[in-house]
Amino acid sequence: RKRTDIATLSAKNDSEHVLIRARIQTSRLQGNRMVFLNLRQRTDTIQAMLAVTDKQVSKQMVKWAAGLSDESIVIIFGIVVKSPEQIKSCSVDDVEIHVSELWLVAGVEGRLPFSLEDASRSENAPEVEGQFSRVLLDTRLNNRIIDLRTQTNQAIFKLQHAIGDLFREYLNNNGFTEIHSPKLQGAATESGASVFKVGYFKGNAFLAQSPQLAKQMAIAADFERVYEIGPVFRAEDSNTHRHLTEFIGLDLEMTIEEHYHEVKELLDGMFKTIFKGLKESYAKEIAVVGKQFEAEEFKWREETLTLTFKEAVDLLVEDGVEREVLDDINTENEKRLGRLVKAKYDTDYFIIDKFPLELRPFYTMPDPNDPTLTNSYDFFMRGEEILSGAQRIHDPEFLCQQMRAKGVDPESMKGYIDGFRMGCPPHGGGGIGLERVLMLFLKLNNIRRASLFPRDPKRLEP
Ligand code: ATP
Ligand code: AMO
């Protein structure tokens, strides 16, 4: 017999026989002759009833069914019956199943760490003593498998998948080739970020802090336009809401014909396509997440706002921040800038261009019109950085000079520099943190919620 998806059932299936495999979300015994099961398949729920009024159902069977643990997986056989009133606790709310046969497929050992009902409540719901307890993030992450079963998490990770998919599709349509660069490295790959050292036979290796060098080498190898979706490792003891020690990098690199704005414009077009794709094709998932994490809808403008670093600093100074502390814009001022931009330009998405040379890595191309600045940009969502990128230096001598100026020994990166000695076209690119985009689009407030099994300085399990 073929299994039925709960989501496909409605009053038009009245009187049909169905076979369903699902989890018991909750169960409620009424007297000792009837049990109501709230059955769930992923994000859909339906009510099932076992009653001794059915010839095939005995009192023992009702008792046994009522004793099955929440989250057990069962198969039921029964008949679809139009429900006399709307079943408020279920997503399929106009029919229920009258069960005649029930089998246990997989049981649950011990007690669940928390109920899915508690884990699914709005983050803003006031806690009422004796009624429910809030499930804290650490408890969720310690019991991530159960936590991931909530409707909200099912939707969050559908959306994570969608962002990767839209990124890939946009770049495929624009002549890019997907590459896979090694994560085991002989030396550091990203200046500034700290590196994890791992044992490698009799010596050591390092985990890649970004595919930066590899993607540039692919350009030197005439790949023209490349992208990668892969893990990025950062050994930073940053216990913040937006830093992980392992995250998924969406990286791209492309040749430049005339001006680095070509890269910036492509990246901008890509982000707008991703936002539009999410909004148009994943409205249901966004709404589901919105019930638990209430947020103003993410807004962007057809014509993206771009500020120079100097204009961004001026906005903050006008708002009362002291210019002296703005050599770099820290997280707090970044968020403040986001609020100012939102109030003035009504957008949650904007670009800052032309960062000072001293703030950028050695491979960044200085601005030909002002060598204290660079052809580099960061992209922001709700006032937080989601992308960093730039035009790169493609002249080997100039690159060595910039490395020395930043305290990097060119000898330690000989293979990389040799790539430029064999001729490399002008190029630029950017790197995006997937979990940050997801966190900020949905306003999840903590990056760990946007990572399936997050890794941070204090967490390596599960
Ligand atoms: P980001 O993408 O957030 O800029 P990054 O890897 O470039 O990450 P930094 O530029 O070193 O990191 O840090 C950015 C901001 O993150 C800092 O201004 C600081 O506010 C915050 N931050 C970084 N590390 C820590 C930490 N250990 N504790 C608190 N805040 C931190
Ligand atoms: P950067 O170091 O700024 O640039 O990283 C690029 C993007 O990656 C994300 N990100 C993080 N996400 C989670 N946890 C972290 N610890 C973390 N650190 C960074 C952010 C950030 O914008 N090679 C350059 C990119 C380039 O120029 O192409 C780089 O890695 O979203």
Side-chain angles (χ1 to χ4, degrees):
R1 286 182 291 190
K2 215 171 151 282
R3 277 196 257 141
T4 300
D5 277 346
I6 285 173
T8 62
L9 294 175
S10 68
K12 69 177 187 318
N13 304 96
D14 193 22
S15 310
E16 283 177 17
H17 287 276
V18 287
L19 183 78
I20 291 172
R21 187 166 90 188
R23 283 189 193 276
I24 299 179
Q25 177 147 297
T26 53
S27 64
R28 183 164 50 88
L29 184 66
Q30 195 151 309
N32 49 14
R33 300 169 63 79
M34 210 189 266
V35 60
F36 290 97
L37 305 174
N38 194 329
L39 298 181
R40 185 183 82 245
Q41 278 172 345
R42 285 174 54 89
T43 53
D44 300 294
T45 48
I46 196 165
Q47 178 164 283
M49 184 191 80
L50 257 95
V52 292
T53 43
D54 188 305
K55 292 196 290 301
Q56 295 186 63
V57 177
S58 64
K59 245 177 158 176
Q60 288 93 313
M61 197 171 146
V62 167
K63 194 172 161 211
W64 176 73
L68 293 175
S69 307
D70 288 354
E71 294 299 301
S72 297
I73 301 172
V74 294
I75 289 180
I76 59 156
F77 179 69
I79 190 164
V80 180
V81 177
K82 249 199 271 185
S83 150
E85 60 189 58
Q86 193 205 17
I87 306 167
K88 289 208 186 75
S89 56
C90 292
S91 65
V92 176
D93 58 5
D94 54 349
V95 289
E96 59 183 19
I97 314 291
H98 289 186
V99 179
S100 50
E101 295 172 36
L102 184 146
W103 296 272
L104 178 65
V105 178
V108 171
E109 289 174 25
R111 256 175 69 85
L112 291 173
F114 47 80
S115 76
L116 256 71
E117 260 176 324
D118 280 349
S120 304
R121 283 182 218 275
S122 158
E123 289 294 299
N124 297 329
E127 194 159 354
V128 183
E129 211 177 306
Q131 286 192 12
F132 87 95
S133 47
R134 193 173 296 289
V135 187
L136 298 177
L137 183 58
D138 237 23
T139 310
R140 289 174 186 275
L141 296 179
N142 289 338
N143 301 282
R144 190 62 161 156
I145 295 168
I146 295 287
D147 184 41
L148 288 172
R149 285 184 197 160
T150 62
Q151 241 192 337
T152 309
N153 276 326
Q154 295 283 317
I156 288 174
F157 289 94
K158 257 264 188 289
L159 289 161
Q160 190 194 68
H161 157 84
I163 295 169
D165 226 24
L166 290 160
F167 174 81
R168 191 175 257 131
E169 185 184 75
Y170 184 85
L171 297 177
N172 288 346
N173 289 339
N174 280 280
F176 280 74
T177 301
E178 180 168 10
I179 58 167
H180 303 283
S181 66
K183 303 306 157 205
L184 282 169
Q185 299 282 351
T189 48
E190 184 68 47
S191 65
S194 312
V195 62
F196 284 113
K197 194 170 165 182
V198 295
Y200 196 70
F201 303 107
K202 286 186 177 151
N204 290 311
F206 302 95
L207 296 180
Q209 303 134 294
S210 87
Q212 185 60 35
L213 310 185
K215 64 184 183 172
Q216 286 192 261
M217 293 300 87
I219 298 296
D222 280 350
F223 281 56
E224 293 278 342
R225 293 182 157 207
V226 294
Y227 71 88
E228 175 159 1
I229 301 181
V232 172
F233 302 93
R234 304 269 167 112
E236 287 154 355
D237 198 5
S238 294
N239 297 287
T240 74
H241 75 285
R242 68 177 200 191
H243 288 90
L244 296 168
T245 47
E246 176 177 351
F247 64 92
I248 299 298
L250 307 177
D251 267 85
L252 69 83
E253 202 69 23
M254 62 187 260
T255 55
I256 293 171
E257 294 304 315
E258 290 182 9
H259 201 279
Y260 80 101
H261 285 178
E262 294 156 26
V263 189
K264 209 176 61 179
E265 278 157 21
L266 180 122
L267 288 165
D268 180 39
M270 179 191 77
F271 272 114
K272 285 190 285 207
T273 305
I274 291 177
F275 301 150
K276 194 159 169 269
L278 292 178
K279 206 175 154 183
E280 285 177 358
S281 306
Y282 294 87
K284 184 180 156 195
E285 284 78 9
I286 294 169
V288 165
V289 178
K291 279 196 250 161
Q292 191 168 342
F293 296 96
E294 286 154 38
E296 265 182 53
E297 193 184 354
F298 184 81
K299 272 195 175 170
W300 70 97
R301 296 170 12 146
E302 214 37 64
E303 177 114 19
T304 303
L305 174 73
T306 302
L307 302 170
T308 61
F309 183 83
K310 185 175 175 306
E311 286 166 340
V313 166
D314 288 346
L315 263 183
L316 285 164
V317 170
E318 254 172 57
D319 195 51
V321 182
E322 285 182 37
R323 194 174 286 274
E324 292 68 53
V325 304
L326 289 170
D327 294 342
D328 192 358
I329 302 177
N330 66 16
T331 307
E332 190 196 328
N333 283 327
E334 220 176 85
K335 287 187 173 173
R336 184 162 178 166
L337 180 67
R339 289 194 293 272
L340 293 172
V341 165
K342 178 78 189 239
K344 193 162 173 190
Y345 301 98
D346 197 29
T347 179
D348 291 307
Y349 164 72
F350 63 97
I351 301 173
I352 299 183
D353 198 6
K354 295 268 172 240
F355 278 79
L357 182 66
E358 68 211 35
L359 297 182
R360 305 303 271 201
F362 66 80
Y363 49 75
T364 313
M365 183 68 93
D367 177 354
N369 301 316
D370 180 350
T372 66
L373 301 179
T374 51
N375 286 355
S376 72
Y377 35 77
D378 278 3
F379 286 39
F380 293 81
M381 285 170 69
R382 298 197 204 261
E384 296 197 57
E385 176 198 322
I386 47 147
L387 170 143
S388 204
Q391 177 177 0
R392 328 296 186 182
I393 297 171
H394 59 279
D395 176 84
E397 292 319 320
F398 187 37
L399 184 61
C400 290
Q401 188 188 320
Q402 290 301 95
M403 283 175 130
R404 284 187 209 103
K406 295 250 180 202
V408 181
D409 177 13
E411 265 311 301
S412 70
M413 296 195 145
K414 195 170 169 306
Y416 170 68
I417 295 162
D418 282 348
F420 299 99
R421 294 199 193 285
M422 287 178 266
C424 180
H427 63 286
I432 301 160
L434 171 63
E435 295 86 349
R436 282 205 191 170
V437 176
L438 184 61
M439 164 181 79
L440 292 161
F441 189 81
L442 298 170
K443 212 162 182 290
L444 302 178
N445 301 324
N446 193 310
I447 196 162
R448 291 160 187 78
R449 295 199 173 95
S451 172
L452 197 64
F453 297 109
R455 294 290 179 257
D456 66 28
K458 298 200 169 73
R459 183 176 290 280
L460 276 169
E461 299 282 342

